Amino acid sequence: QVQLQESGPGLVKPSETLSLTCSVSGYSISSGYYWGWIRQPPGKGLEWIGSMHHSGSTYYNPSLKSRVTISVDTSKDQFSLKLSSVSAADTAVYYCARDKRVVIPSTMLWTSRFDPWGQGTLVIVSS
Amino acid sequence: SYVLTQPPSVSVAPGQTARITCGGNNIGGKSVHWYQQRPGQAPVLVVYDDTDRPSGIPERFSGSNSGNTATLTISRVEAGDEADYSCQVWDTSSDRGVFGGGTKLTVL
């Protein structure tokens, strides 16, 4: 059974870089799938941040693209998120998840779904 | 950018049927996924590709998608179904994942 676990600082100062790591167990990242990050500000909805394949292919939310880097370490079955120049608006619970990207036969368009998810980690941006 | 619209809340009595909608421009042409999020927990996928259920999800959970509205239907609602439900699609025009704002299901 695939399990994901986020880790990293729970408090980051404004203008600094938020760094989180997701450790995957029960599955080898290099075997396939994309791996993604999603966040949820307190009391608000989910926001997709970005996803990465072990081959290096990445997709980022255009609204965050200039500040986001996702990387993968297949030797450790981990993938990481870096979000630069953070502000209070980046305060959120950050989730990692497996991203299954497939082509829909009827439309030949891509779709992605997230399953399973890590338990999430709260990151507060404050001085 | 593509926007998904959900009602903030839906209430239903135990044993009844709950229907949670997700509106989007020609959403019927996209593949819709639904997540359940109980308080303090991570989201769980309950329906994917409009109508399919992951293993372990009860048959009481079903989905449909047509035109500008996708719907998650929960039959014979139980107290344990009380949670936030979010829809999600992949917007191919901007190559990004998009979530609805979430709907809080209250079991009366």
Side-chain angles (χ1 to χ4, degrees), chain B residues 33-63:
Chain B
H33 317 299
W34 290 92
Y35 302 88
Q36 175 194 66
Q37 187 176 21
R38 294 190 173 102
Q41 297 188 19
V44 173
L45 182 70
V46 293
V47 168
Y48 66 95
D49 291 349
D50 298 338
T51 60
D52 293 338
R53 278 186 315 278
S55 61
I57 301 300
E59 292 184 5
R60 300 185 298 106
F61 289 81
S62 63

Short mmCIF file of all heavy atoms in Angstrom, two decimals, chain B residues 33-63:
data_model
loop_
_atom_site.label_atom_id
_atom_site.label_comp_id
_atom_site.label_asym_id
_atom_site.label_seq_id
_atom_site.Cartn_x
_atom_site.Cartn_y
_atom_site.Cartn_z
N HIS B 33 -13.15 14.46 -10.96
CA HIS B 33 -12.80 13.62 -9.82
C HIS B 33 -13.34 14.29 -8.55
O HIS B 33 -13.39 15.52 -8.46
CB HIS B 33 -11.28 13.47 -9.72
CG HIS B 33 -10.62 13.23 -11.04
ND1 HIS B 33 -10.90 12.13 -11.83
CD2 HIS B 33 -9.70 13.96 -11.73
CE1 HIS B 33 -10.18 12.19 -12.94
NE2 HIS B 33 -9.44 13.30 -12.91
N TRP B 34 -13.73 13.47 -7.59
CA TRP B 34 -14.32 13.96 -6.33
C TRP B 34 -13.52 13.45 -5.14
O TRP B 34 -13.12 12.29 -5.08
CB TRP B 34 -15.76 13.49 -6.20
CG TRP B 34 -16.72 14.11 -7.16
CD1 TRP B 34 -17.08 13.65 -8.39
CD2 TRP B 34 -17.45 15.33 -6.95
NE1 TRP B 34 -17.99 14.51 -8.98
CE2 TRP B 34 -18.25 15.54 -8.11
CE3 TRP B 34 -17.54 16.26 -5.91
CZ2 TRP B 34 -19.10 16.64 -8.24
CZ3 TRP B 34 -18.39 17.34 -6.04
CH2 TRP B 34 -19.14 17.52 -7.20
N TYR B 35 -13.35 14.35 -4.15
CA TYR B 35 -12.61 14.02 -2.94
C TYR B 35 -13.46 14.29 -1.71
O TYR B 35 -14.19 15.29 -1.66
CB TYR B 35 -11.32 14.86 -2.85
CG TYR B 35 -10.41 14.67 -4.04
CD1 TYR B 35 -10.56 15.46 -5.17
CD2 TYR B 35 -9.42 13.68 -4.04
CE1 TYR B 35 -9.76 15.28 -6.28
CE2 TYR B 35 -8.60 13.51 -5.14
CZ TYR B 35 -8.78 14.30 -6.26
OH TYR B 35 -7.98 14.11 -7.36
N GLN B 36 -13.33 13.41 -0.73
CA GLN B 36 -13.97 13.58 0.57
C GLN B 36 -12.90 13.99 1.58
O GLN B 36 -11.83 13.38 1.62
CB GLN B 36 -14.61 12.27 1.03
CG GLN B 36 -15.21 12.30 2.43
CD GLN B 36 -15.52 10.89 2.93
OE1 GLN B 36 -14.63 10.08 3.17
NE2 GLN B 36 -16.81 10.59 3.10
N GLN B 37 -13.18 15.01 2.37
CA GLN B 37 -12.22 15.45 3.38
C GLN B 37 -12.93 15.60 4.72
O GLN B 37 -13.66 16.57 4.92
CB GLN B 37 -11.54 16.76 2.97
CG GLN B 37 -10.42 17.18 3.88
CD GLN B 37 -9.70 18.43 3.39
OE1 GLN B 37 -10.22 19.21 2.61
NE2 GLN B 37 -8.46 18.61 3.86
N ARG B 38 -12.71 14.66 5.60
CA ARG B 38 -13.28 14.76 6.95
C ARG B 38 -12.47 15.76 7.75
O ARG B 38 -11.31 16.02 7.46
CB ARG B 38 -13.30 13.39 7.63
CG ARG B 38 -14.25 12.38 6.96
CD ARG B 38 -14.41 11.14 7.82
NE ARG B 38 -15.44 10.25 7.29
CZ ARG B 38 -15.18 9.14 6.60
NH1 ARG B 38 -13.93 8.79 6.37
NH2 ARG B 38 -16.16 8.38 6.16
N PRO B 39 -13.06 16.36 8.79
CA PRO B 39 -12.37 17.40 9.56
C PRO B 39 -11.01 16.93 10.08
O PRO B 39 -10.89 15.85 10.67
CB PRO B 39 -13.34 17.66 10.71
CG PRO B 39 -14.68 17.32 10.15
CD PRO B 39 -14.45 16.15 9.25
N GLY B 40 -9.99 17.74 9.80
CA GLY B 40 -8.65 17.45 10.28
C GLY B 40 -7.93 16.34 9.54
O GLY B 40 -6.84 15.93 9.96
N GLN B 41 -8.52 15.85 8.45
CA GLN B 41 -7.90 14.76 7.71
C GLN B 41 -7.56 15.18 6.28
O GLN B 41 -8.03 16.21 5.79
CB GLN B 41 -8.83 13.55 7.69
CG GLN B 41 -9.10 12.95 9.07
CD GLN B 41 -9.87 11.65 9.01
OE1 GLN B 41 -9.93 10.98 7.97
NE2 GLN B 41 -10.47 11.27 10.12
N ALA B 42 -6.76 14.36 5.64
CA ALA B 42 -6.40 14.61 4.24
C ALA B 42 -7.55 14.19 3.32
O ALA B 42 -8.37 13.34 3.68
CB ALA B 42 -5.14 13.83 3.88
N PRO B 43 -7.62 14.78 2.15
CA PRO B 43 -8.64 14.36 1.18
C PRO B 43 -8.46 12.91 0.76
O PRO B 43 -7.34 12.39 0.73
CB PRO B 43 -8.40 15.31 -0.01
CG PRO B 43 -7.75 16.51 0.59
CD PRO B 43 -6.87 15.95 1.67
N VAL B 44 -9.59 12.29 0.43
CA VAL B 44 -9.62 10.92 -0.07
C VAL B 44 -10.42 10.90 -1.37
O VAL B 44 -11.52 11.46 -1.44
CB VAL B 44 -10.28 9.97 0.96
CG1 VAL B 44 -10.46 8.57 0.36
CG2 VAL B 44 -9.46 9.90 2.24
N LEU B 45 -9.87 10.27 -2.38
CA LEU B 45 -10.56 10.16 -3.67
C LEU B 45 -11.75 9.22 -3.53
O LEU B 45 -11.58 8.06 -3.10
CB LEU B 45 -9.58 9.63 -4.72
CG LEU B 45 -10.10 9.48 -6.16
CD1 LEU B 45 -10.35 10.85 -6.80
CD2 LEU B 45 -9.11 8.67 -7.00
N VAL B 46 -12.96 9.68 -3.88
CA VAL B 46 -14.14 8.82 -3.77
C VAL B 46 -14.77 8.49 -5.13
O VAL B 46 -15.44 7.46 -5.27
CB VAL B 46 -15.21 9.43 -2.83
CG1 VAL B 46 -14.70 9.46 -1.39
CG2 VAL B 46 -15.63 10.83 -3.27
N VAL B 47 -14.56 9.36 -6.12
CA VAL B 47 -15.03 9.09 -7.48
C VAL B 47 -14.01 9.68 -8.44
O VAL B 47 -13.51 10.79 -8.22
CB VAL B 47 -16.42 9.72 -7.75
CG1 VAL B 47 -16.76 9.69 -9.25
CG2 VAL B 47 -17.51 9.00 -6.97
N TYR B 48 -13.67 8.94 -9.51
CA TYR B 48 -12.77 9.47 -10.52
C TYR B 48 -13.32 9.22 -11.91
O TYR B 48 -14.18 8.34 -12.10
CB TYR B 48 -11.36 8.88 -10.36
CG TYR B 48 -11.25 7.40 -10.63
CD1 TYR B 48 -10.86 6.92 -11.88
CD2 TYR B 48 -11.50 6.47 -9.63
CE1 TYR B 48 -10.75 5.57 -12.14
CE2 TYR B 48 -11.40 5.11 -9.87
CZ TYR B 48 -11.01 4.66 -11.13
OH TYR B 48 -10.90 3.32 -11.38
N ASP B 49 -12.84 9.98 -12.85
CA ASP B 49 -13.30 9.87 -14.25
C ASP B 49 -14.84 9.88 -14.33
O ASP B 49 -15.45 9.01 -14.97
CB ASP B 49 -12.73 8.61 -14.90
CG ASP B 49 -11.23 8.68 -15.12
OD1 ASP B 49 -10.66 9.78 -14.95
OD2 ASP B 49 -10.62 7.65 -15.44
N ASP B 50 -15.42 10.83 -13.67
CA ASP B 50 -16.87 11.09 -13.65
C ASP B 50 -17.68 10.08 -12.84
O ASP B 50 -18.57 10.47 -12.08
CB ASP B 50 -17.45 11.10 -15.07
CG ASP B 50 -16.88 12.17 -15.97
OD1 ASP B 50 -16.35 13.16 -15.44
OD2 ASP B 50 -16.96 12.02 -17.20
N THR B 51 -17.41 8.78 -13.04
CA THR B 51 -18.33 7.77 -12.51
C THR B 51 -17.67 6.59 -11.79
O THR B 51 -18.37 5.77 -11.19
CB THR B 51 -19.19 7.18 -13.64
OG1 THR B 51 -18.31 6.57 -14.60
CG2 THR B 51 -20.03 8.25 -14.33
N ASP B 52 -16.35 6.48 -11.85
CA ASP B 52 -15.68 5.30 -11.30
C ASP B 52 -15.35 5.48 -9.82
O ASP B 52 -15.06 6.57 -9.36
CB ASP B 52 -14.40 5.00 -12.09
CG ASP B 52 -14.69 4.57 -13.51
OD1 ASP B 52 -15.82 4.09 -13.78
OD2 ASP B 52 -13.80 4.71 -14.37
N ARG B 53 -15.36 4.36 -9.09
CA ARG B 53 -15.05 4.38 -7.67
C ARG B 53 -13.75 3.63 -7.41
O ARG B 53 -13.58 2.50 -7.89
CB ARG B 53 -16.15 3.70 -6.84
CG ARG B 53 -17.35 4.53 -6.52
CD ARG B 53 -18.28 3.75 -5.57
NE ARG B 53 -18.45 2.36 -6.00
CZ ARG B 53 -19.31 1.99 -6.93
NH1 ARG B 53 -20.07 2.89 -7.52
NH2 ARG B 53 -19.42 0.71 -7.26
N PRO B 54 -12.85 4.22 -6.61
CA PRO B 54 -11.66 3.46 -6.19
C PRO B 54 -12.08 2.28 -5.32
O PRO B 54 -13.17 2.28 -4.74
CB PRO B 54 -10.86 4.48 -5.37
CG PRO B 54 -11.39 5.82 -5.77
CD PRO B 54 -12.83 5.59 -6.11
N SER B 55 -11.22 1.29 -5.25
CA SER B 55 -11.53 0.15 -4.40
C SER B 55 -11.68 0.61 -2.96
O SER B 55 -10.94 1.47 -2.49
CB SER B 55 -10.44 -0.91 -4.51
OG SER B 55 -9.20 -0.39 -4.09
N GLY B 56 -12.67 0.05 -2.28
CA GLY B 56 -12.90 0.40 -0.88
C GLY B 56 -13.92 1.50 -0.68
O GLY B 56 -14.34 1.74 0.47
N ILE B 57 -14.31 2.18 -1.74
CA ILE B 57 -15.33 3.22 -1.63
C ILE B 57 -16.71 2.58 -1.83
O ILE B 57 -16.94 1.87 -2.80
CB ILE B 57 -15.11 4.33 -2.67
CG1 ILE B 57 -13.74 4.97 -2.48
CG2 ILE B 57 -16.23 5.37 -2.58
CD1 ILE B 57 -13.51 5.60 -1.12
N PRO B 58 -17.63 2.83 -0.89
CA PRO B 58 -18.96 2.19 -0.98
C PRO B 58 -19.70 2.54 -2.26
O PRO B 58 -19.54 3.63 -2.82
CB PRO B 58 -19.69 2.74 0.24
CG PRO B 58 -18.63 3.18 1.19
CD PRO B 58 -17.48 3.64 0.32
N GLU B 59 -20.56 1.61 -2.71
CA GLU B 59 -21.36 1.85 -3.91
C GLU B 59 -22.35 2.99 -3.72
O GLU B 59 -22.92 3.48 -4.69
CB GLU B 59 -22.12 0.57 -4.26
CG GLU B 59 -21.25 -0.57 -4.73
CD GLU B 59 -22.05 -1.78 -5.14
OE1 GLU B 59 -23.29 -1.71 -5.16
OE2 GLU B 59 -21.43 -2.83 -5.45
N ARG B 60 -22.55 3.41 -2.47
CA ARG B 60 -23.44 4.54 -2.21
C ARG B 60 -22.94 5.84 -2.86
O ARG B 60 -23.72 6.77 -3.06
CB ARG B 60 -23.58 4.75 -0.70
CG ARG B 60 -24.15 3.57 0.05
CD ARG B 60 -24.38 3.91 1.52
NE ARG B 60 -23.16 4.25 2.24
CZ ARG B 60 -22.84 5.49 2.60
NH1 ARG B 60 -23.64 6.50 2.32
NH2 ARG B 60 -21.72 5.72 3.28
N PHE B 61 -21.66 5.87 -3.18
CA PHE B 61 -21.08 7.05 -3.81
C PHE B 61 -21.08 6.85 -5.34
O PHE B 61 -20.56 5.85 -5.85
CB PHE B 61 -19.64 7.27 -3.33
CG PHE B 61 -19.55 7.74 -1.91
CD1 PHE B 61 -19.64 6.85 -0.86
CD2 PHE B 61 -19.37 9.10 -1.62
CE1 PHE B 61 -19.57 7.27 0.45
CE2 PHE B 61 -19.30 9.53 -0.31
CZ PHE B 61 -19.39 8.63 0.73
N SER B 62 -21.68 7.80 -6.05
CA SER B 62 -21.71 7.71 -7.49
C SER B 62 -21.58 9.11 -8.09
O SER B 62 -21.79 10.11 -7.40
CB SER B 62 -23.00 7.04 -7.98
OG SER B 62 -24.12 7.82 -7.61
N GLY B 63 -21.23 9.16 -9.37
CA GLY B 63 -21.04 10.45 -10.01
C GLY B 63 -21.65 10.48 -11.40
O GLY B 63 -21.86 9.43 -12.04
#
